[in-house]
Amino acid sequence: MSPTINIRRAEPADAQAIATVQTASWRTTYAGLIPAEFLASMDIGRRAAVWHTGLTDSTRRHCYFVAEDADGQVVGFASGGPEREGHPIYKGELSAIYLLDSYQKQGIGRRLVQAVAGWLHENHYHNMLIWVLAGNTQGIQFYEAIGGQRIDSKTINIGGENLEEYSYGWLDLTLLF
Ligand SMILES: CC(C)(COP(=O)(O)OP(=O)(O)OC[C@H]1O[C@@H](n2cnc3c(N)ncnc32)[C@H](O)[C@@H]1OP(=O)(O)O)[C@@H](O)C(=O)NCCC(=O)NCCS
């Protein structure tokens, strides 16, 4: 448990903080997995603009949550919405979840997943999947620890390199609460 960490819905004003956490977490998580030039070239301002667009989207088809410490500093975030590739069974998707390195393994990731799963459930999704790089051992161990089942694999291209990804699914979101 992480009692001093508050999980709340993200607001447009969080876009910069989310992009900052995303960039820092990508650089520590994916060092050695994703080409170094790609990680070095990540632009917080450009990413913040993309998050801001999502956070101000009036259709509200996606959800965004942040984890903040006692000082109101954003230390992690997660997002979710409809599954993006037309999967026949899994209709919801956990599209991103990232914590700063020093806040990992304290129960915050589980709480962020619960927040997204709760939103999906309220919005009539019964299940969800996520995609994780095959080389992201910690991510995979996390998803398996919280009940995810491996579904599928695919190859994606990041920074000119072909990388394998696995999908993990939860058929019954209520088991996550
Ligand atoms: C993956 C991530 C979101 C998990 O969040 P977290 O706060 O570190 O995980 P939690 O502390 O909530 O762990 C929940 C459960 O997963 C288990 N777990 C988490 N990381 C683990 C690891 N590396 N190895 C084994 N088990 C792990 C915990 O032991 C815990 O199980 P328990 O409750 O039975 O003890 C976080 O570590 C992170 O941001 N990592 C870097 C970014 C990343 O990989 N994101 C996913 C991209 S697809």
Side-chain angles (χ1 to χ4, degrees):
M1 193 45 182
S2 43
T4 58
I5 299 292
N6 180 41
I7 308 288
R8 63 165 172 82
R9 291 293 289 271
E11 295 159 13
D14 295 312
Q16 184 80 15
I18 291 172
T20 302
V21 169
Q22 180 186 30
T23 302
S25 189
W26 270 58
R27 287 181 177 153
T28 52
T29 304
Y30 298 134
L33 284 178
I34 286 179
E37 311 78 58
F38 182 92
L39 293 175
S41 72
M42 287 177 74
D43 183 321
I44 294 177
R46 242 189 357 247
R47 282 172 188 270
V50 174
W51 287 111
H52 193 269
T53 301
L55 288 162
T56 50
D57 177 15
S58 57
T59 63
R60 300 190 170 271
R61 291 183 73 229
H62 298 88
C63 64
Y64 305 88
F65 290 91
V66 289
E68 61 181 7
D69 68 9
D71 300 325
Q73 199 74 25
V74 172
V75 300
F77 69 93
S79 60
E83 193 276 327
R84 292 175 279 189
E85 295 177 357
H87 195 282
I89 295 167
Y90 293 91
K91 301 299 180 191
E93 182 164 348
L94 175 66
S95 37
I97 179 164
Y98 289 94
L99 300 177
L100 293 177
D101 204 24
S102 54
Y103 289 86
Q104 294 173 15
K105 294 198 185 175
Q106 297 165 39
I108 305 169
R110 186 193 287 273
R111 290 172 62 196
L112 281 168
V113 170
Q114 287 170 336
V116 170
W119 181 91
L120 287 169
H121 192 251
E122 279 163 25
N123 286 274
H124 314 294
Y125 294 95
H126 305 295
N127 51 38
M128 74 175 185
L129 60 70
I130 59 94
W131 286 97
V132 57
L133 281 180
N136 183 0
T137 312
Q138 173 169 344
I140 288 171
Q141 286 171 337
F142 169 67
Y143 295 129
E144 289 180 346
I146 62 168
Q149 305 282 335
R150 187 176 308 170
I151 312 169
D152 221 339
S153 66
K154 69 177 177 187
T155 302
I156 60 163
N157 190 286
I158 302 182
E161 196 146 317
N162 285 332
L163 298 166
E164 190 175 19
E165 276 196 321
Y166 298 142
S167 54
Y168 277 80
W170 290 261
L171 277 173
D172 181 357
L173 287 180
T174 63
L175 297 178
L176 279 162
F177 305 144

